[in-house]
Amino acid sequence: MRDGTGAAGDENDRMNTPTRPFEPPYYAVIFCSQRTEATPGDGYGEMAERMVALAAAQPGYLGVESARGADGLGITVSYWRSLQDIRKWRAVSEHQAARDQGRRDWYRHYELRIAKVERHYSWDEADGTGDPVPVGER
């Protein structure tokens, strides 16, 4: 998982540091994808890192979490303050070019979902065994 401040990581069973909590409401863009067979030097990792950096520079961007299994199935969730911010991100020309290349070179299939997050809970082992409290109510 990423919060826009770290590197994108590899495409294996890897989760990065969780994003910091942000107060709802906000939006989640859920991108589930099935990669074509990855080949070294195909440019996918570099493009993924570039898109995270570019998204992080956009107004309304909150963070990103991402994981990809050895079978090529990946889920990336980016978080945004508003639907307007998501529309503006979709219109960024470099992002459009990356999407075109993804359909041409890197993906067999993908699904994209946009959801409004109205409540957000988090728990950490340092919190003990009690139930989590919604973010914003702590």
Side-chain angles (χ1 to χ4, degrees), residues 27-97:
Y27 291 86
V29 176
I30 306 159
F31 179 71
C32 298
S33 63
Q34 181 64 54
R35 279 285 321 266
T36 57
E37 189 167 326
T39 56
D42 69 1
Y44 181 83
E46 295 82 3
M47 183 64 79
E49 287 186 28
R50 174 65 188 139
M51 289 301 103
V52 168
L54 186 61
Q58 303 305 307
Y61 171 87
L62 299 172
V64 66
E65 299 170 321
S66 187
R68 184 165 305 278
D71 63 354
L73 179 65
I75 301 174
T76 298
V77 183
S78 61
Y79 301 99
W80 300 85
R81 186 55 54 205
S82 72
L83 290 172
Q84 182 178 5
D85 294 327
I86 295 167
R87 279 191 287 278
K88 287 179 180 177
W89 165 236
R90 183 167 169 71
V92 171
S93 61
E94 192 174 347
H95 182 217
Q96 290 174 344

Side-chain angles (χ1 to χ4, degrees), residues 21 23 61 64 71-72 97 113 124 129:
E23 193 158 336
Y61 171 87
V64 66
D71 63 354
R113 297 167 179 95
D124 188 87
T129 58

Side-chain angles (χ1 to χ4, degrees), residues 1 7-16 66-69:
M1 295 182 202
D10 62 31
E11 297 177 49
N12 297 321
D13 294 319
R14 178 175 161 178
M15 300 288 278
N16 300 309
S66 187
R68 184 165 305 278

